[in-house]
């Protein structure tokens, strides 16, 4: 035998023991999206690199150093998608979802790829769910997207563990004015900047505010306030959002250092953060990106959306919500011999037909009863069903709760389902 091949750095296998928390999240996502009229869109994992260069921007971590890019055999430059907003906008333009001022509410779910330093909550293949809306310029749709997120946290039992931060980046003109002031300020404090911030000072100074370097927290805290540079229209937009959220009972905090990593945002930006996941505390982030369609060659169209990090949310749910993250079988069939296995497979079929939500596992190998009961216990099933020669001859089945200390009972087959319903609930 040769050497065993292992997975690559920063990517993970999600094993059957852990899949339930993912399904729990995915099911709630589907239900909540459905209840707001958002429809799923699936775009390719592989896109032209140009798509991300043009949308995310050259001076970003993602494009500078995190993309998995390669030249195809015909010379095309391709990349694994590092995020999905650009692909959604590309697809919306390509398939006419933006024409005639129509409104589209879209969601997606899938893996993204960034060559980051792997650590807790930060992987090279990670999963995002996103919601995107095209065609609505006002703060109301931003509020709807935030309400949708809040409902999802409620369904997931996470409301007490995440908090909402909002900020406004204003219009492109507002940002240009603020940018100049910020460059002056940062230039006066250049000694306090790390190398990355020095490099970004003239290319993408807003990103300096987004630093995760604790040694720069002081210089960032003292920086001029972006909100002081908003024009009247931008102020109104931001006040509209806050009024709407307040009216709907959503609590939030204004965080003027919130700039988002990507270049294409304007007006409202927001994040939900948690204190439970160490330094990877942002579980969901979004904002308005009205300029993106134009950057990708179409006419300007309002766009706004958010993306949540599924890996982080699953970890958070597993930590604060462990009791809801279990997935245990209902019934384990203990089958004494070959004839009992055949009979048991048929019985299991009957049970699944009347109770399709139950998980029913048949012991399909000929083995001793003792070892089968051990397997039944190890499976965490609630109930064992037992078939041996005597039960088959009498048309009965043995039923034993694996949760309570009770004797095995023997019941006629046609009464079995009622007894099971009682035990399983
Ligand atoms: P961060 O500041 O944590 O690097 P980001 O600003 O790069 O996040 P976005 O591009 O806005 O993240 O992605 C939205 C969400 O996707 C993040 O809030 C986070 O929950 C999740 N996410 C981003 N990168 C990763 C990653 N490498 N591994 C796991 N989750 C991630
Ligand atoms: Mg990042």
């Amino acid at each position: 035998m040769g050497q065993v091949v292992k997975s690559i750095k920063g990517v993970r296998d999600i094993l059957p023991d852990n899949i339930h928390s993912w399904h729990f999240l995915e099911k709630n996502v589907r239900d909540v999206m459905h209840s707001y009229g958002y429809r799923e869109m699936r775009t390719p994992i592989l896109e032209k690199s140009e798509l991300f260069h043009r949308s995310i921007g050259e001076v970003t971590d993602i494009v500078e150093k995190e993309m998995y890019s390669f030249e195809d055999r015909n010379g095309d430059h391709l990349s694994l998608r590092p995020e999905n907003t650009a692909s959604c906008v590309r697809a919306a333009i390509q398939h006419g979802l933006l024409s005639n001022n129509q409104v589209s509410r879209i969601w997606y779910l899938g893996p993204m790829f960034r060559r980051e330093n792997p650590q807790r909550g930060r992987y090279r293949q990670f999963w995002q769910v996103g919601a995107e809306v095209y065609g609505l310029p006002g703060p109301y749709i931003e509020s709807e997207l935030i309400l949708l997120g809040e409902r999802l946290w409620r369904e997931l039992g996470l409301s007490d563990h995440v908090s909402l931060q909002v900020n406004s980046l204003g219009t492109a003109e507002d940002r240009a004015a603020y940018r100049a002031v910020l460059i002056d300020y940062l230039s006066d404090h250049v000694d306090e900047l790390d190398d990355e911030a020095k490099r970004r000072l003239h290319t993408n100074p807003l990103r300096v505010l987004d630093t995760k370097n604790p040694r720069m927290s002081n210089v960032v805290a003292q920086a001029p306030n972006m909100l002081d540079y908003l024009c009247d229209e931008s102020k109104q937009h931001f006040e509209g959002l806050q009024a709407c959220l307040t009216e709907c009972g959503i609590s939030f905090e204004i965080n003027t250092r919130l700039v988002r990593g990507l270049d294409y945002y304007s007006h409202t930006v927001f994040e939900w953060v948690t204190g439970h996941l160490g330094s990877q505390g942002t579980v969901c982030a979004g904002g308005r990106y009205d300029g993106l369609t134009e950057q990708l060659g179409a006419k300007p169209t309002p766009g706004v959306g958010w993306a949540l990090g599924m890996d982080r949310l699953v970890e958070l749910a597993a930590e604060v919500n462990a009791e809801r993250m279990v997935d245990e079988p209902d019934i384990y069939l203990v089958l004494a011999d070959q004839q009992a296995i055949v009979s048991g497979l048929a019985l299991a079929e009957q049970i699944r037909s009347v109770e399709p939500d139950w998980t029913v596992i048949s012991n399909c190998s000929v083995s001793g009863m003792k070892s089968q009961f051990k397997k039944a216990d190890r499976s965490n099933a609630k109930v064992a069903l037992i078939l041996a020669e005597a039960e088959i001859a009498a048309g009965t089945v043995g039923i034993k709760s694996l949760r309570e200390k009770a004797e095995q009972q023997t019941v006629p087959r046609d009464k079995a389902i009622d007894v099971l319903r009682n035990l399983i609930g």
Side-chain angles (χ1 to χ4, degrees):
M1 273 193 288
Q3 259 199 342
V4 172
V5 181
K6 295 203 175 144
S7 61
I8 59 178
K9 183 175 167 184
V11 310
R12 302 186 300 158
D13 298 309
I14 300 165
L15 298 176
D17 271 350
N18 301 115
I19 201 69
H20 183 63
S21 354
W22 289 80
H23 287 169
F24 177 70
L25 175 55
E26 289 161 17
K27 180 181 184 320
N28 279 291
V29 163
R30 287 199 164 82
D31 291 349
V32 170
M33 294 296 180
H34 182 252
S35 78
Y36 284 76
Y38 286 59
R39 297 185 303 156
E40 187 183 0
M41 180 153 83
R42 299 187 185 180
T43 58
I45 285 169
L46 209 49
E47 295 269 10
K48 288 185 184 154
S49 303
E50 180 194 356
L51 174 66
F52 304 113
H53 285 258
R54 275 170 63 178
S55 59
I56 296 170
E58 300 287 349
V59 195
T60 53
D61 284 347
I62 294 180
V63 169
E64 279 179 349
K65 55 187 189 200
E66 293 176 357
M67 287 223 288
Y68 284 95
S69 301
F70 62 96
E71 206 176 304
D72 200 0
R73 285 166 200 269
N74 64 356
D76 287 348
H77 293 276
L78 306 181
S79 297
L80 294 178
R81 60 182 184 195
E83 54 97 45
N84 205 32
T85 296
S87 302
C88 284
V89 170
R90 190 231 0 101
I93 295 170
Q94 190 172 335
H95 303 288
L97 305 190
L98 307 181
S99 48
N100 307 323
N101 302 318
Q102 58 184 309
V103 172
S104 297
R105 289 175 164 85
I106 285 168
W107 72 274
Y108 61 81
L109 182 161
M112 311 294 155
F113 304 84
R114 297 182 196 174
R115 199 172 191 290
E116 306 207 56
N117 259 342
Q119 51 196 288
R120 184 186 184 196
R122 191 175 291 288
Y123 308 101
R124 289 182 171 181
Q125 174 176 333
F126 61 100
W127 293 72
Q128 283 185 338
V129 165
E132 316 277 0
V133 181
Y134 308 121
L136 292 169
Y140 313 109
I141 189 62
E142 297 158 8
S143 306
E144 179 182 280
L145 277 160
I146 289 174
L147 288 164
L148 195 161
E150 292 279 336
R151 180 171 296 276
L152 187 57
W153 317 143
R154 263 200 313 283
E155 295 299 321
L156 297 170
L158 299 178
S159 295
D160 292 343
H161 307 283
V162 292
S163 60
L164 174 64
Q165 302 187 343
V166 299
N167 191 25
S168 174
L169 304 177
T171 60
E173 294 77 51
D174 298 341
R175 263 204 318 293
Y178 177 67
R179 190 175 183 274
V181 176
L182 184 63
I183 290 178
D184 281 349
Y185 167 80
L186 293 173
S187 304
D188 288 345
H189 295 81
V190 78
D191 295 344
E192 294 165 61
L193 304 184
D194 60 16
D195 288 346
E196 189 174 77
K198 281 183 194 143
R199 206 159 46 84
R200 295 241 148 103
L201 179 53
H202 291 282
T203 51
N204 196 346
L206 264 68
R207 285 288 329 259
V208 175
L209 301 180
D210 204 22
T211 180
K212 295 188 173 77
N213 184 348
R215 281 185 294 120
M216 282 173 50
S217 57
N218 215 18
V219 65
V220 164
Q222 308 289 317
N225 184 343
M226 189 144 33
L227 296 180
D228 295 337
Y229 296 85
L230 298 186
C231 67
D232 286 347
E233 186 206 322
S234 296
K235 274 190 193 135
Q236 256 177 30
H237 186 123
F238 193 38
E239 280 158 14
L241 172 82
Q242 294 174 57
C244 197
L245 292 178
T246 304
E247 176 84 7
C248 294
I250 304 295
S251 40
F252 59 88
E253 188 193 328
I254 295 176
N255 173 0
T256 57
R257 310 294 160 213
L258 184 61
V259 293
R260 304 292 308 113
L262 310 182
D263 267 358
Y264 48 56
Y265 288 105
S266 60
H267 288 295
T268 306
V269 288
F270 52 92
E271 287 188 357
W272 280 277
V273 296
T274 178
H276 286 268
L277 298 176
S279 52
Q280 267 58 254
T282 306
V283 290
C284 183
R288 176 166 287 285
Y289 51 83
D290 294 347
L292 183 55
T293 48
E294 209 175 2
Q295 242 165 281
L296 293 176
K299 76 173 181 13
T301 310
V304 54
W306 55 242
L308 65 78
M310 292 179 74
D311 306 72
R312 292 182 195 178
L313 270 173
V314 162
E315 207 177 311
L316 179 60
E319 188 174 310
V320 304
N321 224 346
E323 74 286 353
R324 286 173 77 180
M325 295 302 134
V326 286
D327 182 22
E328 292 165 341
D330 298 283
I331 300 173
Y332 194 99
L333 276 86
V334 173
L335 305 167
D337 52 25
Q338 281 175 358
Q339 201 201 339
I341 294 177
V342 175
S343 188
L345 286 173
L347 176 61
E349 284 309 301
Q350 288 164 10
I351 297 171
R352 291 187 190 103
S353 296
V354 289
E355 290 291 352
D357 286 342
W358 287 356
T359 298
V360 183
I361 299 176
S362 305
N363 192 85
C364 284
S365 71
V366 182
S367 54
M369 298 294 263
K370 206 165 157 198
S371 89
Q372 289 195 43
F373 270 109
K374 261 197 200 138
K375 282 189 204 153
D377 273 331
R378 235 181 291 134
S379 81
N380 283 326
K382 296 175 186 141
V383 178
L385 278 193
I386 303 103
L387 281 182
E389 213 174 317
E391 284 82 9
I392 293 170
T396 59
V397 57
I399 300 182
K400 182 167 166 32
S401 167
L402 297 172
R403 299 291 166 82
E404 292 144 33
K405 275 248 164 292
E407 283 303 299
Q408 179 176 326
Q409 43 180 324
T410 302
V411 300
R413 273 214 191 187
D414 58 350
K415 294 281 177 309
I417 201 75
D418 294 332
V419 178
L420 288 170
R421 281 184 182 133
N422 256 335
L423 287 171
I424 289 165

